[in-house]
Amino acid sequence: MAREKVELPPFQALIDAHWRDVARLARAMAGDDGDDVAQRAWEKAYAAYPALKSAKNLRGWLLTITARCATDVHRARKPQRPLDEAPPVAVDGPEAAAWPDPDLWRAVNELPERQRFAITLKYVGDLDHHGVAAALDTTPAASRRLVSDALATLRGKLGVHDD
């Protein structure tokens, strides 16, 4: 039984539609290495594109690749100094003026890595919990917990209270 060929848009159309999302997520997750992460994500996507079995959620597929590339960069880094002395990752990105609240993003940078990645994927990448879970290689329940814990920490740091 032959497998049906999936009709994919030209790769350039994919780039044109989603380059900002990939660049923004890469920069938010990898700071100064964001441009390299975005480039690596596009290279991996290009290599895997012809073998895709579905064209259903190409944006989510690209953002998952981007998140995994950012995670690889973090894993490859060798600590140069104790973590408590390391400066936070800068979240400014190609469209720095588009980041609405610098105090919020400073607080996001201070979150533990998995919480920071989860909340960035959820709110910058606009992924649902299944997408966040796929990007972080965890379960949707763990994704919900990471995002929930991150939000609780941010509310405490920023003095935001539910009334």
Side-chain angles (χ1 to χ4, degrees):
M1 184 173 180
R3 187 177 67 139
E4 277 189 46
K5 180 151 174 61
V6 176
E7 289 295 321
L8 297 170
F11 195 74
Q12 184 62 50
L14 190 69
I15 293 171
D16 293 343
H18 302 292
W19 74 268
R20 283 183 182 93
D21 295 332
V22 168
R24 184 174 288 137
L25 182 62
R27 189 64 176 207
M29 292 185 75
D32 291 337
D33 292 325
D35 292 342
D36 292 337
V37 166
Q39 181 66 33
R40 193 168 303 143
W42 285 115
E43 289 169 0
K44 288 184 178 258
Y46 183 72
Y49 197 61
L52 276 181
K53 295 177 183 172
S54 172
K56 190 174 181 180
N57 185 3
L58 294 174
R59 181 179 178 275
W61 174 73
L62 283 170
L63 295 180
T64 297
I65 291 171
T66 305
R68 288 184 177 161
C69 288
T71 300
D72 291 346
V73 165
H74 283 281
R75 286 181 182 150
R77 287 182 182 151
K78 293 181 182 175
Q80 301 296 318
R81 55 184 117 169
L83 289 177
D84 58 348
E85 295 176 20
V89 174
V91 179
D92 45 19
E95 300 165 22
W99 294 102
D101 187 341
D103 292 334
L104 170 64
W105 286 103
R106 273 191 281 284
V108 168
N109 280 327
E110 295 170 1
L111 290 170
E113 182 178 286
R114 298 232 347 133
Q115 287 182 15
R116 186 174 70 246
F117 281 7
I119 202 162
T120 302
L121 287 164
K122 177 79 174 126
Y123 294 106
V124 176
D126 197 28
L127 294 178
D128 62 14
H129 287 291
H130 289 285
V132 173
L136 296 179
D137 198 25
T138 190
T139 65
S143 163
R144 281 184 191 84
R145 185 79 227 184
L146 287 166
V147 171
S148 176
D149 289 349
L151 288 172
T153 300
L154 291 172
R155 284 184 186 111
K157 284 185 177 191
L158 299 171
V160 175
H161 304 286
D162 293 333
D163 292 330

